C-alpha cells in the first residue's frame, strides 16, 4: 500500500470512528423508541423466533445490555458499534470490485452518512443487523469473484444466514446471487460446483432455529410477514412514497450519486462485467420486489436497508470511475464534497428535534410518537399512582405502551398487554396472583372510555390523567383507570389472525 493509499485508509478510519462516537453520544441521550423497548423485552427472553421478526435484534440488544445495563446506551451499544465491521466489509467489497482506495473509502463514508446507516444503527431494529450482514454478503461475494475459491461460498452462506436471522427480506439474496451467476458467463461454472450449495446449507442451518420456532407456533411469524401484500389489495397510491422516502433516508446528495452510479453501471459499463452485475443484482432484485409490494401495501422506508451497501458502492463508482460531461461532472463533484457534511447535519438535526422539538417550534412532528421523550417522567408519575392505589399489575392496550412502561418503570414491575398474547409467548404467562389484585389500565384518553371493562370488572375508577411532554408540548394525555373485582380472566387470549 502506497503512502497516498495509507493516508486515505487512515483518514477514512478516523472519520468513521468519529461518526460512531457521535452516534454513541446520541444513543445515550435519546430516549428509546417503542420498537426498541419492545425488542428489549425480547432480549430478556431469548428464543429462536418471535411473532414479528427473527431473533437477531434481540441478541444484539442482549449483548449491549450485558455491557452497559438496561439503559438507552446499553440497548443501542452493540448496534452502533456494528457500524465498524459494516464499514470494513463495504470498503473491502468496493476495493475488490472496482479497485483503489478512493472508491473503497468513498463507499464506506457515503454509507455511513446516510440516514439509513446513521439512524439505522442508532435506533435498534431488525434492519440494523440486516444492514451489517448485507455488507458482508456483498464482501464475501466479491471474494468469490476475486479468488475463485469455493470455500468463500461458505462465508457467503454464513452472511446470508445472519441476514435471515435479522429479517426475512434477506431471502431475496438467493435470487440476486442466482441472477449474478447466470448473467456473467465466466461465473456459470459455479452451478456445477458443490460450493454454492454447501453455502446454502450453511445459511439454512443458521436459519433453522427460526423455522423450528415457527413450526412450534403455527407458522405465525412467516404468515404475518409473508402475507403483508396481497394481490387482491391493489392500491398503487403507495408507490408514490418510495422515491421521496429514499431520498430522505439516503440523504439527497448520496441519493443523486447512487442514482448516477446505477446509471453508469448499466449504460456506461463502468467497471468489469462481473462487478457491475453484482451491484445491480444486489440492488434491483430487492427493489423490484418492493416496487411490486408498494402496488398493494405501504413500503416503509427502512425496508430498503439491504440494498444500501450496494447503493453506496454505486455512488462511489459515480464519483471516481464513471466519465461524465462537464456539467454532470460538476454535479458529481458538488455531491461528493458536501454529501458527508449534509448527512452529518441531517443526523444532528434529527437528534436535536427528536429530543427537544426546537426545530418545529415545539409542535408535533414525525418523531414525537415513536421516540419516548417524556416517558421517564411519566413512568415516575404512574408508579406513584400504582403505589398509592396498591395495584399489583399494570395493563396496557398495545405492545408499544407495554414496552415503554416495562423499560421505564422500576425493574420487576408487572406490566402486561391485555391482548395479542402471541407477542409475549416467549416470556411466559404473568403470575395469576398479580392479575387477581387491583390493576391499573394505562391508555391514551379516548372518547367514550373503555366500556368493555364494565363487563370484566366490578369497579372501574378513573384515578389520574397524566401527560407525556416534550418541552412545553403535550405529546399525549393518558387516562389511568383502577380496575377491581375481575370477573374471570382479564387477558384476551384470542389467537392472532395468522393462526386462525
Amino acid at each position: 500500500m502506497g503512502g497516498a493509499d495509507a493516508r486515505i485508509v487512515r483518514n477514512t478510519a478516523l472519520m468513521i470512528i468519529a461518526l460512531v462516537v457521535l452516534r454513541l453520544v446520541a444513543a445515550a441521550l435519546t430516549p428509546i423508541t417503542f420498537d426498541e423497548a419492545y425488542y428489549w423485552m425480547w432480549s430478556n427472553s431469548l428464543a429462536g423466533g418471535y411473532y414479528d421478526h427473527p431473533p437477531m435484534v434481540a441478541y444484539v440488544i442482549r449483548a449491549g445490555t450485558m455491557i452497559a445495563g438496561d439503559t438507552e446506551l446499553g440497548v443501542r451499544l452493540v448496534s452502533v458499534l456494528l457500524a465498524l465491521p459494516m464499514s470494513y466489509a463495504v470498503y473491502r467489497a468496493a476495493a475488490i470490485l472496482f479497485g483503489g482506495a478512493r472508491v473503497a473509502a468513498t463507499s464506506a463514508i457515503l454509507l455511513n452518512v446516510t440516514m439509513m446507516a446513521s439512524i439505522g444503527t442508532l435506533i435498534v431494529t431488525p434492519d440494523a443487523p440486516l444492514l451489517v450482514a448485507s455488507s458482508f454478503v456483498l464482501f464475501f461475494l466479491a471474494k468469490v469473484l476475486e479468488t475463485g475459491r469455493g470455500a468463500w461460498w461458505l462465508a457467503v452462506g454464513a452472511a446470508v444466514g445472519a441476514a435471515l436471522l435479522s429479517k426475512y427480506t434477506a431471502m431475496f439474496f438467493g435470487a440476486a446471487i442466482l441472477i449474478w451467476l447466470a448473467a456473467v458467463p465466466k461465473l456459470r461454472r459455479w452451478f456445477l460446483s458443490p460450493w454454492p450449495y454447501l453455502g446454502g446449507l450453511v445459511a439454512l442451518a443458521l436459519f433453522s432455529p427460526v423455522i423450528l420456532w415457527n413450526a412450534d407456533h403455527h407458522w405465525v411469524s412467516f404468515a404475518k410477514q409473508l402475507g403483508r401484500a396481497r394481490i387482491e389489495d391493489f392500491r398503487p397510491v403507495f408507490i408514490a412514497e418510495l422515491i421521496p422516502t429514499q431520498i430522505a433516508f439516503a440523504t439527497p446528495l448520496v441519493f443523486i450519486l447512487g442514482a448516477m452510479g446505477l446509471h453508469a453501471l448499466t449504460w456506461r459499463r463502468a467497471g468489469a462485467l462481473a462487478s457491475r452485475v453484482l451491484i445491480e443484482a444486489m440492488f434491483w432484485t430487492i427493489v423490484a420486489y418492493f416496487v411490486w409490494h408498494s402496488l398493494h401495501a405501504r413500503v416503509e422506508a427502512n425496508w430498503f436497508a439491504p440494498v444500501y451497501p450496494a447503493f453506496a458502492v454505486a455512488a462511489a463508482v459515480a464519483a471516481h470511475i464513471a466519465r461524465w460531461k462537464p456539467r454532470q461532472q460538476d454535479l458529481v463533484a458538488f455531491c461528493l464534497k458536501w454529501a458527508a457534511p449534509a448527512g452529518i447535519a441531517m443526523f444532528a438535526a434529527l437528534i436535536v428535534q427528536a429530543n427537544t422539538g426546537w426545530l418545529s417550534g415545539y409542535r408535533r412532528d414525525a418523531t414525537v410518537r415513536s421516540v419516548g421523550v417524556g416517558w421517564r417522567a411519566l413512568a415516575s408519575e404512574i408508579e406513584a399512582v400504582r403505589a398509592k392505589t396498591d395495584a399489583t399489575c399494570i395493563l396496557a392496550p398495545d405492545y408499544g405502551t407495554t414496552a415503554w412502561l416495562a423499560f421505564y418503570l422500576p425493574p420487576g414491575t408487572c406490566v402486561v398487554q391485555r391482548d395479542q398474547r402471541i407477542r409475549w409467548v416467549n416470556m411466559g404467562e404473568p403470575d395469576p396472583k398479580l392479575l387477581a389484585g387491583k390493576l391499573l389500565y394505562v391508555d391514551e384518553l379516548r372518547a367514550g372510555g373503555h366500556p368493555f371493562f364494565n363487563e370484566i370488572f366490578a369497579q372501574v375508577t378513573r384515578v389520574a390523567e397524566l401527560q407525556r411532554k416534550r418541552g412545553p408540548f403535550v405529546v399525549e394525555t393518558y387516562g389511568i383507570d383502577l380496575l377491581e373485582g375481575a370477573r374471570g380472566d382479564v387477558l384476551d387470549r384470542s389467537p392472532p389472525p395468522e393462526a386462525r
Side-chain angles (χ1 to χ4, degrees):
M1 182 183 297
D5 286 354
R7 185 166 56 255
I8 290 172
V9 171
R10 181 182 65 251
N11 291 341
T12 302
L14 289 174
M15 182 172 182
I16 290 172
I17 290 171
L19 291 173
V20 168
V21 171
L22 177 62
R23 289 174 209 157
L24 288 173
V25 173
L29 297 177
T30 305
I32 63 173
T33 66
F34 62 81
D35 276 338
E36 289 178 292
Y38 180 44
Y39 302 139
W40 167 78
M41 293 186 76
W42 289 8
S43 75
N44 293 322
S45 300
L46 296 178
Y50 299 87
Y51 174 57
D52 306 80
H53 294 291
M56 184 66 83
V57 65
Y59 301 159
V60 169
I61 292 174
R62 181 65 170 271
T65 56
M66 290 175 65
I67 299 169
D70 292 321
T71 63
E72 287 88 350
L73 179 60
V75 168
R76 296 162 168 159
L77 178 62
V78 170
S79 177
V80 174
L81 293 178
L82 282 174
L84 298 174
M86 174 195 75
S87 302
Y88 170 80
V90 170
Y91 182 98
R92 293 286 295 119
I96 292 169
L97 294 175
F98 296 100
R102 293 176 66 203
V103 173
T106 299
S107 299
I109 291 172
L110 291 181
L111 178 59
N112 271 276
V113 299
T114 64
M115 301 297 279
M116 183 68 77
S118 60
I119 297 296
T121 57
L122 169 65
I123 303 299
V124 191
T125 69
D127 297 295
L130 175 61
L131 182 61
V132 180
S134 302
S135 301
F136 277 93
V137 173
L138 182 62
F139 171 39
F140 292 143
L141 287 171
K143 291 298 292 184
V144 169
L145 178 62
E146 178 189 40
T147 67
R149 293 177 55 194
W152 279 107
W153 282 108
L154 302 182
V156 173
V160 172
L164 286 168
L165 285 174
S166 302
K167 205 169 186 180
Y168 298 127
T169 313
M171 69 177 65
F172 291 104
F173 284 138
I177 292 170
L178 289 176
I179 291 170
W180 180 52
L181 296 181
V184 181
K186 72 175 184 178
L187 298 179
R188 292 172 190 161
R189 67 181 181 88
W190 287 115
F191 286 120
L192 301 178
S193 168
W195 288 108
Y197 307 102
L198 291 174
L201 290 176
V202 170
L204 181 62
L206 290 173
F207 187 59
S208 61
V210 182
I211 299 174
L212 295 174
W213 185 93
N214 272 274
D216 287 340
H217 295 87
H218 308 285
W219 308 100
V220 291
S221 186
F222 288 165
K224 173 181 170 60
Q225 294 296 344
L226 301 181
R228 280 181 177 268
R230 298 171 297 181
I231 295 177
E232 61 267 25
D233 296 335
F234 183 71
R235 289 180 289 176
V237 64
F238 294 120
I239 199 169
E241 299 177 1
L242 291 185
I243 293 180
T245 56
Q246 291 314 305
I247 290 175
F249 267 62
T251 71
L253 300 185
V254 176
F255 184 88
I256 291 171
L257 286 174
M260 293 181 72
L262 291 169
H263 172 81
L265 290 170
T266 303
W267 301 107
R268 295 173 180 260
R269 304 185 185 280
L273 174 65
S275 299
R276 299 197 314 266
V277 173
L278 177 56
I279 297 299
E280 292 171 321
M282 293 286 283
F283 182 86
W284 289 114
T285 304
I286 295 175
V287 168
Y289 166 74
F290 282 131
V291 169
W292 174 86
H293 187 110
S294 69
L295 296 175
H296 309 281
R298 173 168 282 110
V299 174
E300 301 295 339
N302 57 291
W303 294 359
F304 284 86
V307 310
Y308 267 68
F311 190 69
V313 175
V317 168
H320 298 297
I321 293 181
R323 295 292 175 260
W324 306 102
K325 295 178 180 179
R327 184 171 297 180
Q328 295 170 324
Q329 188 60 48
D330 290 342
L331 176 61
V332 167
F334 176 84
C335 292
L336 184 61
K337 179 179 180 180
W338 293 105
I344 295 169
M346 288 179 65
F347 172 82
L350 184 58
I351 295 302
V352 169
Q353 174 64 18
N355 280 278
T356 69
W358 291 346
L359 301 181
S360 64
Y362 298 107
R363 290 188 292 271
R364 186 175 295 273
D365 70 295
T367 68
V368 76
R369 290 283 293 179
S370 59
V371 178
V373 174
W375 255 106
R376 190 175 297 279
L378 175 62
S380 296
E381 296 180 83
I382 293 172
E383 172 59 17
V385 174
R386 188 205 63 78
K388 183 178 179 180
T389 58
D390 293 323
T392 55
C393 194
I394 297 177
L395 299 184
D398 54 69
Y399 77 87
T401 305
T402 303
W404 264 331
L405 285 165
F407 188 83
Y408 285 112
L409 284 170
T413 302
C414 175
V415 181
V416 179
Q417 183 180 354
R418 182 177 172 272
D419 58 0
Q420 296 185 344
R421 298 305 304 160
I422 187 63
R423 292 186 181 277
W424 315 102
V425 66
N426 295 324
M427 302 181 67
E429 287 293 302
D431 188 340
K433 295 180 180 178
L434 297 176
L435 294 178
K438 297 179 181 179
L439 307 175
L440 286 186
Y441 186 68
V442 178
D443 191 13
E444 297 176 41
L445 286 181
R446 301 182 188 276
H450 309 285
F452 60 90
F453 277 145
N454 295 323
E455 301 176 4
I456 303 173
F457 296 92
Q459 185 172 347
V460 179
T461 308
R462 173 63 50 84
V463 292
E465 292 184 2
L466 304 175
Q467 296 177 335
R468 175 164 81 94
K469 302 178 71 176
R470 183 176 69 180
F473 175 70
V474 176
V475 180
E476 291 120 357
T477 300
Y478 288 85
I480 314 299
D481 293 325
L482 181 64
L483 312 177
E484 300 177 83
R487 302 186 179 104
D489 195 346
V490 303
L491 301 182
D492 179 359
R493 303 181 187 278
S494 302
E498 297 85 3
R500 294 171 189 169

